[in-house]
Amino acid sequence: MRISAQAVCTAIRDDIIHGVLPPGSRLAEEQLAHRYGVSRVPVREALRTLESEGFVVSRRHAGACVAQPGNREAADLLDVRMLVEPLGAARAAQRRTEAHLKVLRGLVRLGRQRSQGQGQSTDLRPLGDWFHETVAQATCSPGLAALLVQLHRKITWLYAGEPASRTAVLWQERGSLVDAIARRDAERARALSSAQLERFTPARKQQRQVSVRTL
């Protein structure tokens, strides 16, 4: 069965985001093809896509490698997220379908259960990703949804996940956001999203600065 370039792109992107392929590491087409069990053609296409997304850079005579964003770029991404994500929450409240709402409620229920359990932290990051992507899809705007998903991926890559002590609170906050989306209360959804990001952003900026200094 032929594996598509899109599937290879997703696999490489996930490995970059989760630190399997660290910043600055070389991305040799032959080695990646062997790693993912494909030919070099889909790997080459995937690397071009990831370069356009900012996860990969290509240098003459050195080939492709994982990008190494600096503090300024990382901080700028957080600032952009502060502007765009509340807009996405408001649009989701205005345009969501019952199918979107069903998925969001199910994710919140699972997130609350697992955040209160023991030894299940590995389940929470995929749930969080799924939650963000569903809110993005609920905007019913392909361009805005793509931007929201891209921002979430970049933030996940550049900054560590939520500490275990905060995950239960985070899923409670997501539940409140879903309640606002369910009521089609766009302004409440916008305000909740902004408030959550306000609590998130200062710690993330400081964390990024510390992590870069210790590289």
Side-chain angles (χ1 to χ4, degrees):
M1 182 179 67
R2 183 178 181 273
I3 301 176
S4 69
Q6 182 178 0
V8 176
C9 182
T10 298
I12 297 174
R13 186 194 296 113
D14 286 347
D15 281 347
I16 291 174
I17 289 173
H18 299 146
V20 178
L21 297 171
S25 58
R26 189 167 178 271
L27 299 171
E29 290 181 9
E30 186 174 352
Q31 293 176 355
L32 292 174
H34 178 73
R35 176 185 181 88
Y36 301 110
V38 297
S39 71
R40 294 175 65 172
V41 174
V43 169
R44 191 175 301 121
E45 293 178 23
L47 291 178
R48 283 199 292 265
T49 299
L50 292 170
E51 185 172 10
S52 71
E53 294 178 355
F55 289 101
V56 170
V57 294
S58 294
R59 297 188 178 94
R60 185 177 297 180
H61 308 307
C65 63
V66 179
Q68 295 178 286
N71 279 337
R72 180 177 295 178
E73 182 177 350
D76 285 347
L77 283 171
L78 289 177
D79 290 339
V80 171
R81 191 185 187 194
M82 285 290 297
L83 297 172
V84 176
E85 197 161 297
L87 171 63
R91 290 291 183 269
Q94 294 168 331
R95 301 170 180 171
R96 57 81 180 165
T97 65
E98 288 301 314
H100 293 133
L101 195 56
K102 182 177 180 180
V103 173
L104 289 171
R105 283 174 167 160
L107 290 170
V108 168
R109 184 170 60 253
L110 283 174
R112 285 173 169 170
Q113 291 172 352
R114 294 177 181 177
S115 64
Q116 294 169 357
Q118 298 294 325
Q120 298 185 20
S121 60
T122 55
D123 293 335
L124 293 174
R125 182 163 57 188
L127 280 179
D129 293 344
W130 193 358
F131 180 88
H132 280 280
E133 291 186 15
T134 304
V135 172
Q137 292 164 7
T139 67
C140 297
S141 168
L144 179 57
L147 178 57
L148 287 165
V149 170
Q150 180 77 342
L151 279 170
H152 178 68
R153 287 171 177 168
K154 286 287 189 71
I155 297 297
T156 302
W157 173 41
L158 294 174
Y159 299 90
E162 290 293 325
S165 60
R166 176 157 161 71
T167 54
V169 174
L170 182 61
W171 280 102
Q172 291 295 330
E173 292 174 346
R174 286 171 174 164
S176 297
L177 176 60
V178 172
D179 289 342
I181 290 173
R183 295 194 303 270
R184 298 194 186 276
D185 189 340
E187 289 311 308
R188 175 65 173 163
R190 187 193 299 269
L192 288 169
S193 178
S194 294
Q196 181 180 325
L197 291 174
E198 286 285 357
R199 290 189 290 273
F200 166 96
T201 300
R204 286 297 185 268
K205 286 185 176 180
Q206 182 178 12
Q207 180 186 47
R208 176 67 184 177
Q209 290 167 355
V210 171
S211 63
V212 169
R213 286 198 300 269
T214 57
L215 286 179

